[in-house]
Amino acid sequence: MSVVHQLSAGWLLDHLSFINKINYQLHQHHEPCCSKNEFTTSVHFESLQMDSVSSSGACAAFIASDPTTKPENDDGGNYEMFTQKFVFRPELFDVTKPYITPAVHKECQQSNEKEDLMNGVKKEISISIIGKKRKRCVIFNQGELDAMEYHTKIRELILDGSLQLIQEGLKSGFLYPLFEKQDKCSKPITLPLDTCNLPELCEMAKHLPSLNEMEHQTLQLVEEDTSVTEQDLFLRVVENNSSFTKVITLMGQKYLLPPKSSFLLSDISCMQPLLNYRKTFDVIVIDPPWQNKSVKRSNRYSYLSPLQIKQIPIPKLAAPNCLLVTWVTNRQKHLRFIKEELYPSWSVEVVAEWHWVKITNSGEFVFPLDSPHKKPYEGLILGRVQEKTALPLRNADVNVLPIPDHKLIVSVPCTLHSHKPPLAEVLKDYIKPDGEYLELFARNLQPGWTSWGNEVLKFQHVDYFIALESGS
């Protein structure tokens, strides 16, 4: 379970536990004369078994991999099976200190009078090279004034609800005071830079010869398949319907595919295979690449304009009474766009606004709650697709609870950019069980979900996982 504690205010989540409960296990077949290392380097497409596991996090019990004799190979010899277990790298959730300490934040705020804020004037302190301080007054723009007004409305809700959940986490030991873990050495996180560039692959796919209708059909991965190529995956929904996790190789890079998952690797200009999938979805989660100043200044991340986001064919993808959940930054411009333009254009009625609150392993906000620059929370706007006809709903016989407003999702964030916490367990009371679930602009896969995006396999890269040592 990714839900550690549930109170009336919301949920305290363990994102790392959610990933590791899939419990990736690699079953390797090889002949006794070959070493395990020799076999591992020759594998192109493998199967990983999924077992149940406790939600105790990354360091769940290691499963030894004693070899088992398997059926004979073509030469009459016996195969052996070795089990290799993978877990997500726990250091990627090692957030021991706030990104900005409250002491520094408080010092920078000492000159800001409440009267100045009400008058739309802010005082900034800048330190010169020789250490002298000078003050300058800057007029707040309308966006900043709107953000301050919004923060004032939800501040107490964020603070009180988060503290309740954090106290429960400290009592249970899921969260811990910083001094209790000070002997734990924090090693620098190093990830390989030479990983597959998924957006470039999507761009490459546009220049391939047009595929005929048969080739646009769903690609179902089978256990025995050892010849899946990059071109096989382009412009097709790929399904892993087995109870095994599989490994595919793209441009020399390996990615883990959870069981019962499916995905489409493409950008927004090539969504037709998803429409051809002939499925409609009971839940659609969207994490759009919102445009902002820092993204525009950087070449690292792409973004979409509001017009491009409105063109996503939600009405064709949504089942009757579909629950739509959109992640949004704290810019009031984006919040208003979703509520006043985007959802109405899709015939979606806003039903609730939730908040993701990011904390450290010791229960501190990752940014000071009243920071004028970055807040320790982000928003989720929940809505229901409104039916234009009186046809019976697909899930009319299922009782789901009404969605409450201003729920909190509190968790330690992954240090990887835009790796959002899972929503499956917090939404379960408000959605049809055993429904069809879709995530748009996804960067990882989940069992039971269809995922789409031009980086849909990003966090499935094998280098984000640790292969535990296995016995021979």
Side-chain angles (χ1 to χ4, degrees):
M1 293 285 289
S2 63
V3 175
V4 181
H5 296 288
Q6 180 174 355
L7 302 175
S8 60
W11 305 268
L12 178 63
L13 295 190
D14 184 351
H15 188 173
L16 181 60
S17 173
F18 176 85
I19 299 172
N20 286 331
K21 76 177 181 180
I22 298 173
N23 198 20
Y24 297 100
Q25 291 191 42
L26 172 61
H27 291 258
Q28 299 182 151
H29 298 265
H30 68 93
E31 298 178 26
C33 61
C34 300
S35 71
K36 285 181 294 181
N37 291 337
E38 288 171 345
F39 174 82
T40 302
T41 57
S42 66
V43 170
H44 176 73
F45 187 93
E46 302 134 346
S47 291
L48 303 174
Q49 178 127 28
M50 172 183 171
D51 294 340
S52 60
V53 70
S54 67
S55 59
S56 57
C59 298
F62 165 66
I63 298 179
S65 56
D66 294 329
T68 303
T69 301
K70 288 297 174 183
E72 294 183 351
N73 59 23
D74 294 338
D75 298 326
N78 288 330
Y79 284 119
E80 290 183 352
M81 176 181 286
F82 286 81
T83 300
Q84 179 94 66
K85 182 176 178 179
F86 288 83
V87 294
F88 202 74
R89 296 178 64 161
E91 66 267 27
L92 296 175
F93 285 92
D94 191 15
V95 184
T96 58
K97 295 186 293 186
Y99 302 142
I100 298 177
T101 61
V104 172
H105 172 68
K106 183 177 180 180
E107 180 180 340
C108 293
Q109 279 199 318
Q110 285 178 347
S111 65
N112 289 345
E113 299 291 336
K114 184 175 181 180
E115 294 80 14
D116 292 329
L117 294 177
M118 298 302 294
N119 294 329
V121 178
K122 61 183 177 183
K123 295 180 180 179
E124 294 184 350
I125 300 178
S126 55
I127 303 176
S128 67
I129 296 176
I130 60 175
K132 294 181 179 179
K133 296 182 179 179
R134 59 186 178 87
K135 296 181 180 179
R136 58 188 177 93
C137 291
V138 181
I139 304 299
F140 281 113
N141 62 39
Q142 189 59 47
E144 292 171 318
L145 292 173
D146 291 344
M148 287 189 292
E149 182 181 356
Y150 175 78
H151 176 69
T152 301
K153 290 179 180 178
I154 66 170
R155 183 186 186 280
E156 293 306 314
L157 179 148
I158 297 286
L159 180 61
D160 294 343
S162 297
L163 289 179
Q164 292 174 29
L165 288 161
I166 289 168
Q167 286 300 319
E168 291 299 313
L170 290 169
K171 289 178 184 177
S172 68
F174 172 70
L175 302 174
Y176 48 83
L178 186 59
F179 66 88
E180 291 186 5
K181 302 271 180 165
Q182 284 181 345
D183 57 338
K184 178 181 176 181
C185 297
S186 297
K187 297 181 180 178
I189 299 174
T190 56
L191 291 173
L193 299 177
D194 186 24
T195 56
C196 182
N197 194 322
L198 297 173
E200 286 187 5
L201 277 177
C202 295
E203 192 65 30
M204 184 191 308
K206 299 178 188 178
H207 303 289
L208 293 175
S210 298
L211 301 178
N212 61 43
E213 186 175 349
M214 289 297 293
E215 289 174 315
H216 272 296
Q217 291 182 354
T218 300
L219 174 63
Q220 294 188 353
L221 302 179
V222 295
E223 184 177 356
E224 294 79 14
D225 195 347
T226 59
S227 58
V228 176
T229 67
E230 289 82 1
Q231 190 165 347
D232 292 327
L233 304 178
F234 289 150
L235 304 178
R236 304 171 77 177
V237 175
V238 181
E239 289 183 344
N240 175 17
N241 290 324
S242 72
S243 57
F244 295 86
T245 296
K246 300 182 183 297
V247 176
I248 61 171
T249 302
L250 290 174
M251 304 295 286
Q253 305 296 320
K254 289 186 177 183
Y255 298 88
L256 308 182
L257 309 184
K260 309 300 181 184
S261 65
S262 57
F263 70 92
L264 171 64
L265 175 62
S266 77
D267 64 21
I268 197 170
S269 68
C270 299
M271 294 189 71
Q272 190 59 40
L274 195 57
L275 300 176
N276 295 344
Y277 197 32
R278 297 179 181 176
K279 281 188 178 182
T280 54
F281 298 91
D282 302 287
V283 178
I284 301 177
V285 176
I286 313 175
D287 186 14
W290 295 104
Q291 178 180 340
N292 58 52
K293 291 180 181 179
S294 61
V295 168
K296 290 180 71 174
R297 287 193 299 264
S298 172
N299 293 324
R300 294 177 59 194
Y301 309 114
S302 60
Y303 60 87
L304 295 180
S305 68
L307 179 60
Q308 288 173 306
I309 295 173
K310 285 178 73 172
Q311 292 172 348
I312 299 170
I314 293 298
K316 295 181 179 180
L317 295 169
N321 206 35
C322 169
L323 175 63
L324 192 66
V325 183
T326 302
W327 289 95
V328 63
T329 66
N330 290 312
R331 280 191 76 181
Q332 295 305 295
K333 178 180 178 181
H334 295 153
L335 282 166
R336 286 195 299 269
F337 168 69
I338 293 175
K339 296 177 180 179
E340 299 172 10
E341 294 185 49
L342 186 63
Y343 276 15
S345 72
W346 291 338
S347 299
V348 173
E349 178 187 10
V350 176
V351 295
E353 181 175 348
W354 290 1
H355 312 276
W356 173 34
V357 183
K358 294 171 272 189
I359 61 171
T360 67
N361 302 114
S362 58
E364 298 179 84
F365 293 127
V366 295
F367 292 106
L369 182 58
D370 297 316
S371 169
H373 305 294
K374 287 192 175 183
K375 297 291 190 290
Y377 56 82
E378 296 182 29
L380 303 88
I381 308 300
L382 291 79
R384 289 279 188 194
V385 170
Q386 301 302 294
E387 290 305 300
K388 298 179 181 178
T389 67
L391 294 175
L393 300 179
R394 186 164 83 183
N395 55 354
D397 57 336
V398 177
N399 292 323
V400 294
L401 297 176
I403 299 177
D405 202 10
H406 293 298
K407 282 280 191 177
L408 303 185
I409 299 171
V410 180
S411 71
V412 178
C414 182
T415 56
L416 299 174
H417 176 70
S418 275
H419 198 355
K420 298 293 198 301
L423 299 179
E425 291 187 30
V426 301
L427 293 176
K428 66 181 182 180
D429 291 334
Y430 315 109
I431 60 178
K432 172 188 173 183
D434 302 319
E436 298 286 349
Y437 311 135
L438 172 67
E439 183 174 6
L440 301 177
F441 303 101
R443 297 173 183 85
N444 61 284
L445 307 182
Q446 300 181 58
W449 286 67
T450 299
S451 304
W452 166 82
N454 67 347
E455 294 184 304
V456 71
L457 299 178
K458 181 173 181 178
F459 299 137
Q460 300 302 133
H461 195 287
V462 71
D463 286 333
Y464 291 121
F465 294 79
I466 296 174
L468 301 180
E469 290 187 11
S470 56
S472 57

